[in-house]
Amino acid sequence: MTRPKNAMEIFNLLDKSNCRECGEKTCLAFAGAVFQGRRSLDECPKLDADTVQRYSGKGKAENPADAEREAYLQKLKEEAKRLDFAEAAERTGGQVQNGRLTVKILGKDFSIDKNGKLIADIHVNPWVAAPFLSYVLYGKGIPPTGNWVPFRELSGGKERDPLFQKRCEEPMKQLADSSTDFFDDIIHMFSGKQVAEQFESDVSVVLHPLPKVPIMICYWKPEDGLESSLNLFFDETADDNLDIGSVFSLGAGLSMMFTKLAHRHGFVDAAS
Ligand code: SF4
């Protein structure tokens, strides 16, 4: 691990956009806070995992599951180096620019270059990196039909559904229960779209974690002694465009990210 000698050295690692996603007003303020030990480097979502690991020691694979995930990610990156970017862009709804293949993830650019390096406007972590790579490498690129199905109805979804409810739908429901702004905030921050209520829900919002893998979140408010509920729905083509493990990762990852943002700043503050 390389220990930065002063705040300027940390500042030089940052992208200097002053985007405030870390909760500090400027990159310089964040660098100072990291140097003083009040903040940690991995709280800047713009930094790639390698830099965080090199300068803070965080992010290293610490257990066999992490090591396995990291090995899988490396394998996908190696395969991506041999990918025909033009063909993949056409198939996946992405584009090729400056030698990079870019697709929109939640409205933000996420790219890979010919060296297998991931470049993104959002935090690159395994829940988003592996599905992105799997999508561009193996996705069939079938256009969504608009027929929404629950996770358990996707191929291979039934066995994982109890865990999907626990990791994804339950934490998201708690957020929706506790914040009246939850849906407005995710629409604002992640280029979501409110659509006509589906399945008699009170709110239905569609997000695009990948261009051809939309997710619809439906929420039913508590009523007449009945508890509220929240479910995620996927286009029926989701399992053609992405393996089921990656679909799971996207749902669970979204839930984790919303929870983290809500706890850290409240959604509205984080977006400002
Ligand atoms: S999130 Fe990173 S890039 Fe954005 S202001 Fe904070 S330190 Fe700078």
Side-chain angles (χ1 to χ4, degrees):
M1 182 182 121
T2 311
R3 217 172 275 284
K5 294 183 202 63
N6 50 49
M8 216 24 110
E9 219 175 286
I10 298 169
F11 178 66
N12 286 335
L13 302 173
L14 305 172
D15 82 353
K16 305 174 187 66
S17 60
N18 299 329
C19 70
R20 294 180 166 204
E21 281 186 47
C22 59
E24 299 289 342
K25 287 194 177 135
T26 61
C27 293
L28 192 58
F30 178 76
V34 172
F35 188 63
Q36 290 164 5
R38 290 186 286 112
R39 306 294 303 268
S40 63
L41 210 50
D42 61 342
E43 290 178 82
C44 168
K46 302 284 178 78
L47 279 175
D48 62 78
D50 289 347
T51 306
V52 171
Q53 187 183 326
R54 187 151 13 102
Y55 289 91
S56 72
K58 283 196 177 180
K60 210 183 281 180
E62 280 153 2
N63 61 44
D66 286 342
E68 204 174 296
R69 201 175 304 129
E70 189 54 32
Y72 176 60
L73 208 53
Q74 285 310 324
K75 177 181 156 284
L76 293 178
K77 283 185 186 174
E78 285 305 313
E79 284 180 38
K81 289 181 190 173
R82 296 188 291 276
L83 189 63
D84 176 343
F85 279 7
E87 179 281 325
E90 192 165 336
R91 175 169 44 83
T92 60
Q95 53 177 325
V96 184
Q97 263 179 346
N98 304 324
R100 294 174 183 172
L101 169 63
T102 302
V103 301
K104 293 271 183 208
I105 293 190
L106 299 169
K108 312 249 181 357
D109 284 350
F110 201 102
S111 314
I112 184 159
D113 68 15
K114 274 291 172 193
N115 297 316
K117 184 169 188 277
L118 298 173
I119 306 114
D121 286 348
I122 56 171
H123 189 29
V124 179
N125 61 21
W127 77 259
V128 67
F132 162 79
L133 288 165
S134 176
Y135 176 72
V136 297
L137 282 166
Y138 315 121
K140 291 185 185 159
I142 297 178
T145 61
N147 287 331
W148 296 102
V149 296
F151 181 78
R152 65 178 176 278
E153 285 183 23
L154 296 174
S155 169
K158 199 169 167 203
E159 303 74 32
R160 296 172 191 237
D161 194 48
L163 197 56
F164 186 76
Q165 289 175 29
K166 196 162 163 226
R167 295 262 176 89
C168 174
E169 292 173 327
E170 285 172 21
M172 245 189 239
K173 177 180 106 66
Q174 283 171 18
L175 290 173
D177 286 346
S178 59
S179 164
T180 45
D181 291 330
F182 174 71
F183 289 104
D184 286 344
D185 291 335
I186 59 174
I187 287 170
H188 175 58
M189 285 190 74
F190 304 110
S191 307
K193 199 171 164 214
Q194 181 139 16
V195 294
E197 286 79 17
Q198 305 273 324
F199 308 115
E200 299 181 6
S201 65
D202 293 301
V203 187
S204 300
V205 166
V206 173
L207 296 172
H208 280 83
L210 289 163
K212 292 186 180 176
V213 187
I215 288 180
M216 181 168 70
I217 306 170
C218 291
Y219 179 63
W220 293 261
K221 294 178 183 163
E223 200 185 5
D224 299 334
L226 284 177
E227 263 196 45
S228 63
S229 66
L230 182 147
N231 288 115
L232 260 64
F233 294 88
F234 297 86
D235 192 87
E236 63 181 349
T237 57
D239 47 8
D240 288 311
N241 292 328
L242 203 58
D243 65 281
I244 194 70
S246 292
V247 176
F248 180 98
S249 271
L250 282 183
L254 276 181
S255 195
M256 211 164 60
M257 181 174 72
F258 294 163
T259 306
K260 214 168 153 184
L261 284 170
H263 286 163
R264 197 185 287 169
H265 310 287
F267 286 102
V268 175
D269 288 351
S272 62

Short mmCIF file of all heavy atoms in Angstrom, two decimals, residues 14-28 30-31 43-47, ligand 1:
data_model
loop_
_atom_site.label_atom_id
_atom_site.label_comp_id
_atom_site.label_asym_id
_atom_site.label_seq_id
_atom_site.Cartn_x
_atom_site.Cartn_y
_atom_site.Cartn_z
N LEU A 14 -7.85 12.45 -7.43
CA LEU A 14 -9.28 12.67 -7.65
C LEU A 14 -9.55 13.27 -9.03
O LEU A 14 -8.64 13.83 -9.65
CB LEU A 14 -9.83 13.59 -6.55
CG LEU A 14 -9.57 13.10 -5.12
CD1 LEU A 14 -9.96 14.16 -4.10
CD2 LEU A 14 -10.30 11.80 -4.85
N ASP A 15 -10.82 13.20 -9.45
CA ASP A 15 -11.07 13.71 -10.82
C ASP A 15 -11.36 15.22 -10.84
O ASP A 15 -11.55 15.79 -11.90
CB ASP A 15 -12.17 12.90 -11.53
CG ASP A 15 -13.57 13.32 -11.14
OD1 ASP A 15 -13.72 14.14 -10.23
OD2 ASP A 15 -14.51 12.84 -11.79
N LYS A 16 -11.39 15.84 -9.68
CA LYS A 16 -11.46 17.31 -9.54
C LYS A 16 -12.74 17.90 -10.15
O LYS A 16 -12.76 19.04 -10.60
CB LYS A 16 -10.22 17.98 -10.14
CG LYS A 16 -8.93 17.43 -9.52
CD LYS A 16 -7.70 17.97 -10.18
CE LYS A 16 -6.44 17.30 -9.68
NZ LYS A 16 -6.31 15.89 -10.00
N SER A 17 -13.80 17.12 -10.18
CA SER A 17 -15.05 17.63 -10.75
C SER A 17 -15.90 18.36 -9.71
O SER A 17 -16.88 19.00 -10.06
CB SER A 17 -15.87 16.46 -11.32
OG SER A 17 -16.16 15.55 -10.27
N ASN A 18 -15.52 18.23 -8.43
CA ASN A 18 -16.32 18.83 -7.34
C ASN A 18 -17.79 18.43 -7.45
O ASN A 18 -18.68 19.25 -7.27
CB ASN A 18 -16.19 20.37 -7.37
CG ASN A 18 -14.76 20.82 -7.17
OD1 ASN A 18 -13.99 20.15 -6.48
ND2 ASN A 18 -14.38 21.92 -7.77
N CYS A 19 -18.02 17.17 -7.77
CA CYS A 19 -19.40 16.72 -8.00
C CYS A 19 -20.21 16.56 -6.73
O CYS A 19 -21.41 16.43 -6.77
CB CYS A 19 -19.37 15.38 -8.74
SG CYS A 19 -18.78 14.03 -7.71
N ARG A 20 -19.54 16.52 -5.57
CA ARG A 20 -20.17 16.46 -4.25
C ARG A 20 -20.80 15.11 -3.90
O ARG A 20 -21.52 15.01 -2.90
CB ARG A 20 -21.25 17.53 -4.11
CG ARG A 20 -20.72 18.94 -4.12
CD ARG A 20 -21.89 19.86 -3.97
NE ARG A 20 -21.46 21.20 -3.66
CZ ARG A 20 -22.24 22.08 -3.04
NH1 ARG A 20 -23.45 21.75 -2.67
NH2 ARG A 20 -21.81 23.28 -2.78
N GLU A 21 -20.60 14.10 -4.74
CA GLU A 21 -21.22 12.81 -4.42
C GLU A 21 -20.67 12.21 -3.14
O GLU A 21 -21.30 11.36 -2.52
CB GLU A 21 -21.05 11.83 -5.59
CG GLU A 21 -22.04 12.08 -6.69
CD GLU A 21 -21.98 11.06 -7.78
OE1 GLU A 21 -21.96 9.86 -7.47
OE2 GLU A 21 -21.95 11.46 -8.95
N CYS A 22 -19.49 12.64 -2.73
CA CYS A 22 -18.91 12.13 -1.49
C CYS A 22 -19.47 12.87 -0.27
O CYS A 22 -19.23 12.48 0.87
CB CYS A 22 -17.40 12.30 -1.51
SG CYS A 22 -16.91 14.02 -1.71
N GLY A 23 -20.23 13.95 -0.53
CA GLY A 23 -20.79 14.71 0.59
C GLY A 23 -19.95 15.93 0.96
O GLY A 23 -20.37 16.76 1.76
N GLU A 24 -18.75 16.07 0.37
CA GLU A 24 -17.92 17.26 0.61
C GLU A 24 -18.20 18.26 -0.52
O GLU A 24 -18.61 17.88 -1.61
CB GLU A 24 -16.43 16.89 0.60
CG GLU A 24 -16.01 15.91 1.67
CD GLU A 24 -16.02 16.50 3.08
OE1 GLU A 24 -16.04 17.73 3.24
OE2 GLU A 24 -16.05 15.68 4.04
N LYS A 25 -17.93 19.55 -0.22
CA LYS A 25 -18.25 20.56 -1.23
C LYS A 25 -17.27 20.55 -2.40
O LYS A 25 -17.61 20.92 -3.51
CB LYS A 25 -18.26 21.95 -0.59
CG LYS A 25 -19.49 22.15 0.28
CD LYS A 25 -19.67 23.61 0.62
CE LYS A 25 -20.94 23.76 1.42
NZ LYS A 25 -20.83 24.60 2.56
N THR A 26 -16.04 20.17 -2.14
CA THR A 26 -15.03 20.15 -3.22
C THR A 26 -14.14 18.91 -3.07
O THR A 26 -14.07 18.30 -1.98
CB THR A 26 -14.10 21.38 -3.13
OG1 THR A 26 -13.42 21.34 -1.88
CG2 THR A 26 -14.87 22.68 -3.25
N CYS A 27 -13.45 18.60 -4.15
CA CYS A 27 -12.50 17.47 -4.10
C CYS A 27 -11.37 17.81 -3.11
O CYS A 27 -10.86 16.92 -2.42
CB CYS A 27 -11.91 17.22 -5.48
SG CYS A 27 -13.11 16.62 -6.66
N LEU A 28 -11.02 19.08 -3.04
CA LEU A 28 -9.93 19.47 -2.14
C LEU A 28 -10.34 19.24 -0.69
O LEU A 28 -9.55 18.74 0.13
CB LEU A 28 -9.56 20.95 -2.39
CG LEU A 28 -8.28 21.43 -1.73
CD1 LEU A 28 -7.09 20.60 -2.20
CD2 LEU A 28 -8.04 22.91 -2.07
N PHE A 30 -12.46 17.08 0.32
CA PHE A 30 -12.47 15.63 0.53
C PHE A 30 -11.03 15.12 0.76
O PHE A 30 -10.79 14.32 1.67
CB PHE A 30 -13.09 14.94 -0.70
CG PHE A 30 -13.12 13.45 -0.61
CD1 PHE A 30 -14.05 12.79 0.19
CD2 PHE A 30 -12.21 12.67 -1.32
CE1 PHE A 30 -14.07 11.40 0.28
CE2 PHE A 30 -12.22 11.29 -1.24
CZ PHE A 30 -13.16 10.65 -0.44
N ALA A 31 -10.10 15.63 -0.06
CA ALA A 31 -8.70 15.19 0.09
C ALA A 31 -8.19 15.52 1.49
O ALA A 31 -7.53 14.69 2.15
CB ALA A 31 -7.83 15.87 -0.97
N GLU A 43 -14.77 6.46 -0.32
CA GLU A 43 -16.04 7.19 -0.31
C GLU A 43 -16.19 8.11 -1.53
O GLU A 43 -17.23 8.72 -1.71
CB GLU A 43 -16.18 7.99 0.98
CG GLU A 43 -16.39 7.08 2.19
CD GLU A 43 -16.48 7.87 3.48
OE1 GLU A 43 -17.57 8.38 3.79
OE2 GLU A 43 -15.45 7.99 4.17
N CYS A 44 -15.15 8.24 -2.32
CA CYS A 44 -15.28 8.97 -3.60
C CYS A 44 -15.70 7.95 -4.66
O CYS A 44 -14.91 7.09 -5.04
CB CYS A 44 -13.98 9.63 -4.02
SG CYS A 44 -14.07 10.23 -5.74
N PRO A 45 -16.94 8.02 -5.14
CA PRO A 45 -17.40 7.02 -6.10
C PRO A 45 -16.72 7.10 -7.46
O PRO A 45 -16.88 6.20 -8.28
CB PRO A 45 -18.90 7.32 -6.21
CG PRO A 45 -19.07 8.72 -5.76
CD PRO A 45 -17.95 9.03 -4.81
N LYS A 46 -15.96 8.18 -7.71
CA LYS A 46 -15.32 8.31 -9.02
C LYS A 46 -13.99 7.55 -9.10
O LYS A 46 -13.43 7.40 -10.18
CB LYS A 46 -15.04 9.79 -9.31
CG LYS A 46 -16.27 10.67 -9.30
CD LYS A 46 -17.08 10.47 -10.57
CE LYS A 46 -18.35 11.27 -10.64
NZ LYS A 46 -18.17 12.65 -10.96
N LEU A 47 -13.47 7.15 -7.96
CA LEU A 47 -12.16 6.47 -7.98
C LEU A 47 -12.32 5.00 -8.33
O LEU A 47 -13.25 4.34 -7.87
CB LEU A 47 -11.50 6.58 -6.60
CG LEU A 47 -10.78 7.89 -6.30
CD1 LEU A 47 -10.29 7.88 -4.86
CD2 LEU A 47 -9.62 8.11 -7.25
S1 SF4 B 1 -17.06 12.45 -5.02
FE1 SF4 B 1 -14.92 12.44 -5.63
S2 SF4 B 1 -14.91 13.67 -7.48
FE2 SF4 B 1 -16.81 14.14 -6.44
S3 SF4 B 1 -16.37 15.89 -5.09
FE3 SF4 B 1 -16.04 14.09 -3.89
S4 SF4 B 1 -13.90 13.70 -4.13
FE4 SF4 B 1 -14.42 15.06 -5.79
#
